[in-house]
Amino acid sequence: MQVHSGKEGQTVLLVERMITKEILESCFIPVRRLRKKYHGEWHEVTEKLFPGYVFMVTEQPQPLYEELKKIPALTRMLGRWGEYFTPLSEADVRMMEKLQNGSEERGGLEVEISKIAVEEGRRIRILSGPLVNLEGQIKKVNLHKRTAAVEMEFMGRKTVVYLGVEIVETLE
């Protein structure tokens, strides 16, 4: 479900409080772990993977949609069925499972930092993490910012997602 950027956490809390578990299995915001340097030190941070989106798991999309329409705070955010509240395709679900790479955070999705080695000529070798499954889709690795730009098809269009990398080995 598309929501106002910055309101994802509030939306999850509201939906979890208002919708029964019989209709809604889980509601979550996919996040990614990154390393950022500030104050001269590297810190691990968590950021939203898809800002402006909240993901819900249900076997009953139509009753869920009807219940969501009853929540006054969400009425403005929900559009027509096909515009803002869209079921994920099987390919999108598989892609999210690849990103998850075995880690699960509160029933949601948390993309861990991939460990890489930098070889001679700044060639990158992925040692572990979600990038292992996405080697062919990596468009650029920024060693300074410790991110990898990954191009993937999601919700019917190509998008670039930035995932965290950690350099654990330098070979020259």
Side-chain angles (χ1 to χ4, degrees), residues 137-155:
Q137 296 169 262
I138 298 171
K139 297 301 173 195
K140 183 179 179 182
V141 176
N142 185 329
L143 296 176
H144 180 70
K145 289 188 174 184
R146 304 288 198 267
T147 59
V150 180
E151 185 179 77
M152 53 185 56
E153 182 135 339
F154 188 66
M155 296 180 75

Side-chain angles (χ1 to χ4, degrees), residues 96-123:
M96 289 183 83
E97 288 169 348
K98 278 185 188 179
L99 288 176
Q100 192 163 4
N101 197 35
S103 67
E104 192 159 333
E105 179 72 17
R106 292 183 340 160
L109 172 75
E110 182 171 306
V111 182
E112 294 296 328
I113 296 172
S114 293
K115 295 184 182 345
I116 64 169
V118 180
E119 298 177 340
E120 193 174 327
R122 293 178 60 98
R123 188 173 135 80

